Amino acid sequence: MAPCCWLLLLALALVACCGHAATVERTFDVGNFSINQLCQPATVITAVNGQLPGPTIRVHEGDTVVVHVINNSPYNITVHWHGLFQRGSQWADGPEMVTQCPIRPGSRYTYRYNATGQEGTLWWHAHSSMLRATVHGAIVIKPRSGDQGYPFPKPDKEEIILLGEWWNRNVFDLDREAFLTGILVDRADAYTINGKPGDMHKCPGSNRKPRTFKLKVQSRSTYLLRIINAAVNTPMFFKIAGHNFTVVGADASYTTPYETDVVVVAPGQTVDALMVAGAAPSRRYYMVASPYNSARPSNQPFRKATATAVLEYAGANRRAARRPLLPRMPRFKDTATAHRFFTSLTALARPGQPTVPLAVDTRMFVTVALGFADCRPEQTRCMDQVFAGSMNNASFVLPTTISLLEAHFRNVTGVYTRDFPDRPPLEFNYARPPSNMGVTTTKSTKVKTVRYNATVEVVLQNTALVARESHPMHLHGHNFFVLAQGFGNFHQDTAEKRYNLVNPQERNTLAVPPGGWAVIRFVANNPGMWIMHCHFDAHLPIGLAMVFEVQDGPTQDTALPPPPADLPQC
């Protein structure tokens, strides 16, 4: 055979075996459109390409993603690619006033980033106001070699299950009203599965039923369910009657297969789970998402309702038209079930995967709290004090004239301070604080500066100053290892004995146990400004956040690149 033929065959074999990187280009037209939901008159919402949920971005590991965002809505907008590392593309991370100024109405911005070193399910969402209630969608990153690259049996089919919340009112107006008054946003009117509330909601005086998502399956086939919690303020239990799951991934990191009949996902988290369609095909089955409310007392209003969808088998006879079988759901306050799920996941050990760094350079003990702060001048309907979140008693305020990343890059002073404390200013019984203890916090823009490639360990300690609650803490630009978690006050000597330094789960969003603690460890190998915040949308604007300022590394490849030419300006 001629040498050129051998080279061609070799190239084809390498593509078949290892795949090749490609560029995936999409256009996101953000605008307002009308939708009928919950038997209400047409409601105007803001969404991408007239879809709820928005379009799915499907790529292979190593691909380059280019998304042209055109803002035809009346609101400022940014898009965050939740869980993507953004190494070398820090300006594309998306949180408003952290890595960029917003895209103004009538303007556009192109996000460019690589899906390198990650496989599994992530998602994208608005990071402005409360618009992520309707501006969101899935990101699917397949192995570079395709379905053959999964570390589990290849599924017959894949399905996205996106959990959300729905308000009959304009969510931008709701968010604005909450800011002006200092009162938390009203509870959602319904929960949704793939944008639809399901047939448990009735239309008074009508035979119509609200929209319901339906999943048709083939008997004995295996399905990979990519479950995403895009809800604004609510963790969710998820079950399918008559079916069990094998969890194989979380936050785009593979896990040791874990058998369960219930999946628990906090806002921001994703779970990949295999499901065998092995139930009786003559029946139909409800899939149900119900809220998990961990707050004691309940400070964040939540709706005691469920979202439903229907799973039915292809080729089923007419008897399958009977009412679907309903699973028995956990109680709304079932912390034991949630904690069991969250603590049962471990990483799947694979060659070449990151391992837990054993030497720690920076140790932090950070309290996560809800309290009160003085009204800000722009909160014109506020009465003396407002509800406030804080970390180490610092309640975070975003800048208004320049993003944190641009201030960092251009050495602009007066935008933020580098004095975020490594410990809280006062030590006390966090799980049971004294009844006469003050709950006032101070507004500021404090960041924690760490050197490039430093190993950072953070103890996240929930407090019960106003209420104890499970806060889903999300770190941008990095994954972290979850070494241990528990209830009550953190004690170093006893907790260290429980550290999993072999195969801890790797995540980007962690539900810190209510009235408890969690220990995370990560390598700060991504220069830039990276916000860590509660993924309850009600808690981010009231200050439950802080920022890591990661310094440049020693080479050009490990330094923050200059901003793109089309970066939005304030």
Side-chain angles (χ1 to χ4, degrees), residues 254-317:
Y254 292 118
T255 64
T256 305
Y258 171 63
E259 306 287 339
T260 179
D261 69 337
V262 60
V263 167
V264 191
V265 274
Q269 292 184 328
T270 71
V271 171
D272 290 342
L274 297 174
M275 182 201 73
V276 177
S282 59
R283 295 294 304 267
R284 296 194 302 159
Y285 304 88
Y286 272 127
M287 58 177 71
V288 178
S290 64
Y292 163 49
N293 179 44
S294 63
R296 306 288 192 281
S298 183
N299 59 81
Q300 174 65 43
F302 81 104
R303 184 165 296 279
K304 296 180 179 180
T306 60
T308 57
V310 175
L311 182 150
E312 56 188 31
Y313 283 74
N317 58 34

Side-chain angles (χ1 to χ4, degrees), residues 21-157:
T23 297
V24 176
E25 193 166 1
R26 297 286 185 268
T27 297
F28 278 15
D29 186 343
V30 184
N32 285 0
F33 79 103
S34 297
I35 183 174
N36 292 309
Q37 193 84 288
L38 289 183
C39 316
Q40 299 289 319
T43 302
V44 177
I45 66 170
T46 303
V48 171
N49 297 352
Q51 300 175 225
L52 179 65
T56 297
I57 295 178
R58 298 181 186 274
V59 298
H60 289 83
E61 189 277 326
D63 285 352
T64 297
V65 182
V66 178
V67 183
H68 309 286
V69 176
I70 306 168
N71 187 6
N72 285 315
S73 81
Y75 312 114
N76 292 338
I77 196 76
T78 67
V79 179
H80 170 50
W81 316 95
H82 187 112
L84 268 297
F85 293 148
Q86 302 293 358
R87 292 184 185 136
S89 55
Q90 291 89 336
W91 301 95
D93 189 44
E96 183 177 11
M97 302 313 300
V98 179
T99 58
Q100 68 169 100
C101 298
I103 307 169
R104 304 292 184 184
S107 301
R108 63 174 61 201
Y109 177 48
T110 296
Y111 292 91
R112 296 177 174 87
Y113 55 89
N114 293 321
T116 301
Q118 295 176 276
E119 297 175 9
T121 306
L122 296 172
W123 64 302
W124 58 266
H125 61 83
H127 217 293
S128 302
S129 181
M130 213 173 90
L131 291 174
R132 78 171 165 97
T134 53
V135 180
H136 60 247
I139 300 175
V140 174
I141 308 174
K142 291 199 171 187
R144 190 172 297 213
S145 56
D147 295 352
Q148 297 85 352
Y150 290 138
F152 47 80
K154 176 184 173 182
D156 297 296
K157 195 174 181 182

Side-chain angles (χ1 to χ4, degrees), residues 294-492:
S294 63
R296 306 288 192 281
S298 183
N299 59 81
Q300 174 65 43
F302 81 104
R303 184 165 296 279
K304 296 180 179 180
T306 60
T308 57
V310 175
L311 182 150
E312 56 188 31
Y313 283 74
N317 58 34
R318 291 185 177 181
R319 291 188 62 194
R322 294 180 301 174
R323 181 176 177 84
L325 188 65
L326 192 66
R328 182 173 182 177
M329 299 301 293
R331 293 173 291 108
F332 296 133
K333 298 180 180 293
D334 193 346
T335 292
T337 293
H339 190 68
R340 185 183 312 114
F341 180 88
F342 288 140
T343 57
S344 294
L345 302 182
T346 56
L348 180 66
R350 304 173 72 205
Q353 294 302 301
T355 56
V356 182
L358 301 181
V360 177
D361 302 297
T362 299
R363 296 183 186 274
M364 303 175 67
F365 185 95
V366 179
T367 53
V368 178
L370 296 175
F372 297 95
D374 292 336
C375 298
R376 295 158 63 183
E378 58 269 35
Q379 292 179 293
T380 56
R381 293 166 56 194
C382 169
M383 301 293 291
D384 189 31
Q385 284 197 322
V386 293
F387 211 44
S390 67
M391 299 178 71
N392 276 355
N393 207 40
S395 187
F396 195 79
V397 178
L398 290 168
T400 57
T401 59
I402 187 175
S403 73
L404 292 173
L405 188 59
E406 193 165 1
H408 163 85
F409 180 78
R410 303 191 188 284
N411 292 316
V412 178
T413 59
V415 179
Y416 60 90
T417 60
R418 296 184 171 95
D419 57 345
F420 184 84
D422 288 343
R423 298 192 65 83
L426 179 67
E427 294 186 6
F428 57 95
N429 185 338
Y430 308 107
R432 296 181 179 275
S435 59
N436 62 346
M437 187 172 177
V439 291
T440 300
T441 182
T442 303
K443 294 290 184 179
S444 64
T445 307
K446 297 182 179 182
V447 309
K448 171 64 179 179
T449 303
V450 295
R451 65 173 176 80
Y452 176 78
N453 227 29
T455 296
V456 182
E457 181 175 294
V458 184
V459 177
L460 293 166
Q461 172 70 61
N462 261 329
T463 72
L465 288 173
V466 172
R468 60 182 181 91
E469 183 172 14
S470 175
H471 294 278
M473 301 303 297
H474 171 48
L475 175 62
H476 288 227
H478 303 77
N479 277 359
F480 49 76
F481 296 101
V482 184
L483 303 187
Q485 47 191 314
F487 294 101
N489 295 317
F490 173 82
H491 297 287
Q492 185 78 35

Side-chain angles (χ1 to χ4, degrees), residues 56 108 200 243 522:
T56 297
R108 63 174 61 201
M200 291 294 181
H243 297 75
F522 68 96

